[in-house]
Every structure is written in C-alpha cells, then in structure tokens.
Amino acid sequence: MKVLYGVQATGNGHITRARVMAPALERAGIEVDYLFSGREPEKLFNMEPFGDYRCRQGMTFYMKGSRVDYVKTLTANNPVRLIRDICALDLSGYDLVITDFEPVTAWAAKLRGVPSLGIAHQYAFLHKLPDSKTGWLLKQQISSFAPAKTALGLHWHHFDKPICPPLIQPPLFEPSQSDRKVLVYLPHDPPDQIEAALSAYPDYEFYIYSGLDQPEDKGNMHLRPFSREGFHRDLASCAGVICNSGFGLLSEAVQYGKKVLTLPQKGQVEQESNAEILELLGMGLVINKLSEHAKLADWLEMSSPEPQIYPDLASVLAQWIASGCQQPVEALVQQVWQLSPEAEAVVI
C-alpha cells in the first residue's frame, strides 16, 4: 500500500501526530510520502522522520499576539496558489490519502475520487461536543477546509461519539516534578511581556520557550529557544504548564501528569472549545491573560494531577489502514478506548 500523508504545519501538534504515526505506518509495511503546508519550509525543524518530504503553501492563520489577525489571514493567504497546488498534485500511484487537516492533499483526493482518511483533533468537531462553541457552522468550516471521506476525530474523551483518544507518543523522559518549576509556552506573546507578568512570583522558576537563538537566564526567568528534546525534558520535570489551548501540548501535559493553566487564542474557536472542555473535565484552569493574578497565584499553589495514560492509537490505526480500513469506524473506536488502563463503556 502506498499513502500520501498531508500535514497542516501551522501548529506543531499536527507535525507531532505525524511523527507518532510515521514509525507505526512503517512497521505496518505501508509506504508513505509526506506533504506539509501552512508554514515556510525553513521554519520546519526535526523533520528527519519524514524523509524526502514536500512542502506547499496551503492556508494558515496569522496571529497578532494571542489573537487571530484576520486582516493578515485574509490578505497573506493566496487562494489562487492553493487552487493551483491542488490541481497540480499528482495522486497517481497512491492507494490512500491521509490528511491531518491539510487542505491541498484533502481537496486533491476529493476532486480525483481517491480514498481519503482524515486523522486530526479538528474532526472531533464534526460531532456535537459538550461545549458552547461547536455547532453547525464550525462543522461546515471543518468539512470545507480539509474534507475527508472518512474522518477520525481525536479528543480527551469520546463523549459517546466515534471519537478516538489523543494520538501522542509515550513520554520521552521519565516524569518527575520540581515543585517550583513552571514551563511556559506562549509563542505568539512577546517574551518581555511574559516576563513582566510573571515577575510578581519570584519564588518560582519559569522556563519560557520562544523564538530565541540562544538560551538566556535572567534570575528566575529562563528563556529557551525552540528545541523538541529540551522542551520535553522541561515538560517531564516541571510542576505545571502555562500555554495556549492547542490540543497537542495540552494532551502531552495531561499525559505527563502536569497541572495546566491555559490561555485560548482569541478568535480560534478550536482553542476556545479546547479550553472549555479541559476545564469541564477538571483537567486544567482557564484564564484570558496572565495579568489575572488571583487565578494565576491560586494555580501556582495547586497540586498536580495523576498522569493520564492513553492507549497506543498509532499502532491500532496503522494496522487498520494496512487492512484497508475494513473495520467500521464505530467498532475501531470502541476497540481503542478499551485498550486504555481506565477503560469505560463506549456507547455510540
């Protein structure tokens, strides 16, 4: 079987999922080519698992601080280029297209009648979730952006819908806990503003990841450049994580058993939904800005939860794909959730 795997590269969560799926697909004997869109190729890093991958412009959201910059999003994206890339993409020789919310491969498969499988958190929004954000409009947006003949959504709970658990790798490092160590990942906020907001808490050590060239320590502020290994070392040893509401990092923090303080990016319905459901499930605390000092101070004193162990979804999906996706999605979802150490009945 030969597969073209399209990955939305705007956020690191999509790429992280592809990194988890890559070895599982290889073990299942599936030949895979990868295509990434939504980010400049020179800004991609740690891409070794994907071999001779391709890049296209695709479509992306542009941010202004922690808010979506709608003007730049409308003007900087190039729909003509997107349509041209979709029409030019050669799918001959591929048995299946997998899309992690990537529009070029998804639309090329739809227009050419090639079987397609969507594996992404966003496809969970095709179902009604217990929040105030999901509904008909969001469902239409998801279906229009990256359509898939078969769509597998991912979330922290199935909500009695055919939704799979998070697709994440096991912890890279043995979890430990430094009670006063806090990991901060707010990539769209200027580091100096983050430092100013956290300066009121000198008893804590803040490890702040941003687009620096070199690490820098300023008292209890430890500024770090993007590094997958370094980030996961700090994630494994911290007491808690302050971050936006992207699904991938929140899932990794929950898996490591870290308390979470999350700031959803304004204008991103997905993140607003994630934050609402995270709090609903008792897995984290939501604030709108770091200057909410009462909430932040209370959160810093909170204890950490127990680690959440998720089943090996990648291996199950790879075998299912290798068999031609013959098992019904509902049965597949039930099988996956029953692999969890804390399995519960799934009613679909």
Side-chain angles (χ1 to χ4, degrees), residues 120-165:
H121 171 55
Q122 285 79 4
Y123 295 119
F125 300 126
L126 298 177
H127 308 281
K128 177 57 182 172
L129 303 178
D131 65 350
S132 63
K133 302 298 179 182
T134 53
W136 180 86
L137 180 58
L138 182 57
K139 181 177 179 179
Q140 300 308 308
Q141 292 171 340
I142 298 296
S143 300
S144 299
F145 187 87
K149 184 175 182 181
T150 302
L152 289 177
L154 313 171
H155 222 304
W156 302 303
H157 194 278
H158 51 74
F159 308 111
D160 293 334
K161 304 291 194 303
I163 296 172
C164 288

Coordinates of all heavy atoms in Angstrom, one line a residue, residues 120-165:
A120 N -7.3 13.8 12.8 CA -6.9 15.1 13.4 C -7.9 15.4 14.5 O -9.1 15.0 14.5 CB -7.0 16.3 12.3
H121 N -7.4 16.2 15.4 CA -8.3 16.7 16.5 C -9.5 17.5 15.9 O -10.6 17.3 16.4 CB -7.5 17.6 17.4 CG -8.3 18.4 18.4 ND1 -9.2 17.7 19.3 CD2 -8.4 19.7 18.7 CE1 -9.7 18.6 20.1 NE2 -9.3 19.8 19.7
Q122 N -9.3 18.2 14.9 CA -10.4 19.1 14.3 C -11.6 18.3 13.9 O -12.7 18.8 14.0 CB -9.8 19.9 13.1 CG -9.0 21.1 13.5 CD -7.5 20.7 13.8 OE1 -7.1 19.5 13.7 NE2 -6.7 21.6 14.2
Y123 N -11.4 17.0 13.5 CA -12.5 16.2 13.0 C -13.4 15.8 14.1 O -14.6 15.4 13.9 CB -12.0 15.0 12.2 CG -11.3 15.4 10.9 CD1 -10.0 15.1 10.7 CD2 -12.0 16.1 10.0 CE1 -9.3 15.5 9.6 CE2 -11.3 16.5 8.8 CZ -10.0 16.2 8.6 OH -9.3 16.6 7.4
A124 N -13.0 16.0 15.4 CA -13.9 15.7 16.5 C -15.0 16.7 16.5 O -16.1 16.5 17.0 CB -13.1 15.8 17.8
F125 N -14.8 17.9 15.9 CA -15.8 19.0 15.9 C -16.9 18.7 14.9 O -17.9 19.5 14.8 CB -15.2 20.3 15.6 CG -14.1 20.7 16.6 CD1 -12.9 21.1 16.3 CD2 -14.5 20.7 18.0 CE1 -11.9 21.5 17.2 CE2 -13.6 21.1 18.9 CZ -12.3 21.5 18.6
L126 N -16.8 17.6 14.1 CA -17.9 17.2 13.3 C -19.0 16.6 14.1 O -20.1 16.3 13.6 CB -17.4 16.2 12.2 CG -16.3 16.7 11.3 CD1 -15.9 15.5 10.3 CD2 -16.9 17.8 10.4
H127 N -18.7 16.3 15.4 CA -19.7 15.8 16.3 C -20.1 16.9 17.3 O -19.3 17.8 17.6 CB -19.2 14.6 17.1 CG -18.6 13.5 16.1 ND1 -19.4 12.6 15.5 CD2 -17.4 13.2 15.8 CE1 -18.7 11.8 14.7 NE2 -17.4 12.2 14.9
K128 N -21.2 16.8 17.9 CA -21.6 17.7 19.0 C -20.9 17.4 20.2 O -21.0 16.3 20.8 CB -23.1 17.7 19.2 CG -23.6 18.6 20.3 CD -23.3 20.0 20.0 CE -23.7 20.9 21.2 NZ -23.2 22.3 21.0
L129 N -20.1 18.4 20.7 CA -19.3 18.2 21.9 C -20.0 19.0 23.1 O -20.8 19.9 22.8 CB -17.9 18.7 21.7 CG -17.1 18.0 20.6 CD1 -15.7 18.7 20.4 CD2 -17.0 16.6 20.8
P130 N -19.6 18.7 24.3 CA -20.3 19.4 25.5 C -19.7 20.7 25.8 O -19.2 21.0 26.9 CB -20.1 18.4 26.6 CG -18.8 17.8 26.3 CD -18.7 17.6 24.8
D131 N -19.8 21.6 24.8 CA -19.2 23.0 25.0 C -20.2 24.0 24.3 O -21.2 23.5 23.7 CB -17.8 23.1 24.4 CG -17.8 22.9 22.9 OD1 -18.8 22.5 22.3 OD2 -16.7 23.2 22.3
S132 N -19.9 25.2 24.3 CA -20.7 26.2 23.7 C -20.2 26.7 22.4 O -20.8 27.6 21.8 CB -20.8 27.4 24.7 OG -19.5 28.0 24.8
K133 N -19.2 26.1 21.8 CA -18.5 26.6 20.6 C -18.8 25.7 19.4 O -19.0 26.3 18.3 CB -17.0 26.6 20.8 CG -16.5 27.4 22.0 CD -16.9 28.9 21.8 CE -16.4 29.7 23.0 NZ -16.9 31.1 22.9
T134 N -19.0 24.4 19.6 CA -19.2 23.6 18.4 C -20.6 23.6 18.0 O -21.5 23.8 18.8 CB -18.8 22.1 18.7 OG1 -19.4 21.7 19.9 CG2 -17.3 22.0 18.9
G135 N -20.8 23.5 16.7 CA -22.2 23.5 16.1 C -22.1 23.4 14.6 O -21.1 23.1 14.0
W136 N -23.2 23.8 14.0 CA -23.4 23.6 12.5 C -22.3 24.4 11.8 O -21.7 23.9 10.8 CB -24.8 24.0 12.1 CG -25.0 23.9 10.6 CD1 -25.4 22.8 9.9 CD2 -24.8 24.9 9.6 NE1 -25.4 23.0 8.6 CE2 -25.1 24.3 8.4 CE3 -24.4 26.2 9.7 CZ2 -25.0 25.1 7.2 CZ3 -24.3 27.0 8.5 CH2 -24.6 26.4 7.3
L137 N -22.1 25.6 12.2 CA -21.2 26.5 11.4 C -19.8 26.0 11.5 O -19.1 25.9 10.4 CB -21.2 27.9 12.0 CG -20.3 28.9 11.3 CD1 -20.6 29.0 9.8 CD2 -20.4 30.3 11.9
L138 N -19.3 25.6 12.7 CA -17.9 25.0 12.8 C -17.8 23.7 12.0 O -16.8 23.5 11.4 CB -17.6 24.8 14.2 CG -16.2 24.3 14.5 CD1 -15.1 25.2 14.0 CD2 -16.0 24.1 16.0
K139 N -18.8 22.9 12.0 CA -18.8 21.7 11.3 C -18.6 21.9 9.8 O -17.9 21.2 9.1 CB -20.1 20.9 11.5 CG -20.2 19.5 10.8 CD -21.5 18.8 11.1 CE -21.6 17.5 10.4 NZ -22.8 16.8 10.8
Q140 N -19.3 22.9 9.3 CA -19.2 23.3 7.9 C -17.8 23.8 7.5 O -17.2 23.5 6.5 CB -20.2 24.3 7.5 CG -21.7 23.9 7.6 CD -22.0 22.5 7.0 OE1 -21.7 22.4 5.8 NE2 -22.5 21.6 7.7
Q141 N -17.2 24.6 8.5 CA -15.9 25.1 8.2 C -14.8 24.0 8.2 O -13.9 24.0 7.4 CB -15.5 26.1 9.4 CG -16.4 27.4 9.3 CD -16.2 28.3 10.5 OE1 -15.7 27.8 11.6 NE2 -16.5 29.5 10.4
I142 N -15.0 23.0 9.1 CA -14.0 21.9 9.1 C -14.2 21.1 7.9 O -13.1 20.7 7.2 CB -14.3 21.0 10.4 CG1 -14.1 21.7 11.7 CG2 -13.5 19.7 10.3 CD1 -12.7 22.2 12.0
S143 N -15.4 20.8 7.5 CA -15.6 20.0 6.2 C -15.1 20.7 5.0 O -14.7 20.0 4.1 CB -17.1 19.7 6.1 OG -17.6 18.9 7.2
S144 N -15.2 22.0 5.0 CA -14.8 22.8 3.8 C -13.3 22.9 3.7 O -12.7 23.0 2.6 CB -15.5 24.1 3.8 OG -16.9 24.0 3.8
F145 N -12.6 23.1 4.9 CA -11.2 23.3 4.9 C -10.4 22.1 4.4 O -9.5 22.3 3.6 CB -10.7 23.8 6.3 CG -9.3 24.3 6.3 CD1 -9.0 25.6 6.1 CD2 -8.3 23.4 6.6 CE1 -7.7 26.0 6.1 CE2 -7.0 23.8 6.7 CZ -6.7 25.2 6.4
A146 N -10.7 21.0 5.0 CA -9.9 19.8 4.7 C -10.8 18.6 4.7 O -10.8 17.8 5.6 CB -8.7 19.6 5.6
P147 N -11.6 18.4 3.6 CA -12.6 17.3 3.6 C -11.9 15.9 3.5 O -10.9 15.8 3.0 CB -13.4 17.6 2.3 CG -12.5 18.3 1.4 CD -11.6 19.2 2.4
A148 N -12.6 14.9 4.2 CA -12.1 13.6 4.1 C -13.3 12.6 4.0 O -14.3 12.8 4.7 CB -11.3 13.2 5.4
K149 N -13.1 11.6 3.2 CA -14.2 10.6 3.0 C -14.5 9.9 4.4 O -15.7 9.7 4.8 CB -13.9 9.6 2.0 CG -15.0 8.6 1.7 CD -14.7 7.7 0.5 CE -15.9 6.8 0.2 NZ -15.6 5.9 -0.9
T150 N -13.5 9.6 5.1 CA -13.6 9.0 6.4 C -12.8 9.9 7.4 O -11.6 10.2 7.1 CB -13.0 7.6 6.5 OG1 -13.7 6.7 5.6 CG2 -13.2 7.0 7.9
A151 N -13.4 10.4 8.4 CA -12.8 11.3 9.3 C -12.8 10.8 10.7 O -13.8 10.3 11.3 CB -13.5 12.7 9.3
L152 N -11.6 10.7 11.3 CA -11.4 10.3 12.7 C -11.0 11.5 13.6 O -9.9 12.0 13.4 CB -10.3 9.2 12.8 CG -10.6 7.8 12.2 CD1 -9.4 6.9 12.3 CD2 -11.8 7.2 12.9
G153 N -11.9 11.9 14.4 CA -11.6 13.0 15.4 C -10.9 12.5 16.6 O -11.0 11.3 17.0
L154 N -10.1 13.3 17.3 CA -9.4 12.9 18.5 C -9.8 13.9 19.6 O -9.9 15.1 19.4 CB -7.9 13.1 18.2 CG -7.3 12.4 16.9 CD1 -5.9 12.8 16.7 CD2 -7.4 10.9 16.9
H155 N -9.9 13.3 20.8 CA -10.2 14.2 21.9 C -9.9 13.5 23.2 O -9.5 12.3 23.2 CB -11.7 14.6 22.0 CG -11.8 16.1 22.3 ND1 -11.3 16.6 23.5 CD2 -12.4 17.1 21.7 CE1 -11.6 17.9 23.6 NE2 -12.3 18.3 22.5
W156 N -10.0 14.2 24.4 CA -9.6 13.6 25.7 C -10.7 12.6 26.2 O -10.5 11.9 27.1 CB -9.4 14.7 26.7 CG -8.3 15.7 26.3 CD1 -7.0 15.3 25.9 CD2 -8.4 17.1 26.1 NE1 -6.4 16.5 25.6 CE2 -7.2 17.5 25.7 CE3 -9.5 18.0 26.3 CZ2 -6.9 18.9 25.5 CZ3 -9.2 19.3 26.1 CH2 -8.0 19.8 25.6
H157 N -11.9 12.7 25.6 CA -13.0 11.8 25.9 C -13.8 11.5 24.7 O -13.8 12.3 23.7 CB -13.9 12.5 27.0 CG -14.8 11.5 27.7 ND1 -16.0 11.2 27.2 CD2 -14.7 10.9 28.9 CE1 -16.6 10.3 28.0 NE2 -15.9 10.1 29.0
H158 N -14.5 10.4 24.6 CA -15.2 10.1 23.4 C -16.6 10.7 23.4 O -17.2 10.9 22.4 CB -15.4 8.5 23.3 CG -15.9 7.9 24.5 ND1 -17.2 8.0 24.9 CD2 -15.3 7.1 25.5 CE1 -17.4 7.3 26.0 NE2 -16.2 6.7 26.4
F159 N -17.1 11.1 24.6 CA -18.4 11.8 24.7 C -19.5 10.9 24.0 O -20.5 11.5 23.4 CB -18.4 13.2 24.1 CG -17.3 14.0 24.7 CD1 -16.2 14.4 23.9 CD2 -17.3 14.4 26.0 CE1 -15.2 15.2 24.4 CE2 -16.3 15.2 26.5 CZ -15.2 15.6 25.7
D160 N -19.4 9.6 24.0 CA -20.3 8.7 23.4 C -20.5 9.0 21.9 O -21.6 8.8 21.3 CB -21.7 8.7 24.1 CG -21.6 8.2 25.5 OD1 -20.7 7.3 25.8 OD2 -22.4 8.6 26.4
K161 N -19.4 9.4 21.3 CA -19.4 9.6 19.8 C -18.2 8.8 19.3 O -17.3 8.4 20.0 CB -19.2 11.1 19.5 CG -20.2 12.0 20.1 CD -21.5 11.8 19.5 CE -22.5 13.0 19.8 NZ -22.7 13.2 21.3
P162 N -18.1 8.6 18.0 CA -17.0 7.8 17.4 C -15.7 8.7 17.3 O -15.2 9.1 16.2 CB -17.5 7.4 16.0 CG -18.5 8.5 15.7 CD -19.2 8.8 17.0
I163 N -15.2 9.1 18.5 CA -14.0 9.9 18.6 C -12.9 9.1 19.3 O -13.1 8.5 20.3 CB -14.4 11.2 19.5 CG1 -15.4 12.0 18.8 CG2 -13.1 12.0 19.7 CD1 -16.0 13.2 19.6
C164 N -11.7 9.2 18.7 CA -10.6 8.4 19.3 C -9.9 9.3 20.3 O -10.0 10.5 20.4 CB -9.6 8.1 18.1 SG -10.2 6.9 17.0
P165 N -9.1 8.6 21.2 CA -8.2 9.3 22.2 C -7.1 10.1 21.5 O -6.9 9.9 20.3 CB -7.7 8.2 23.1 CG -7.8 7.0 22.2 CD -8.9 7.1 21.3

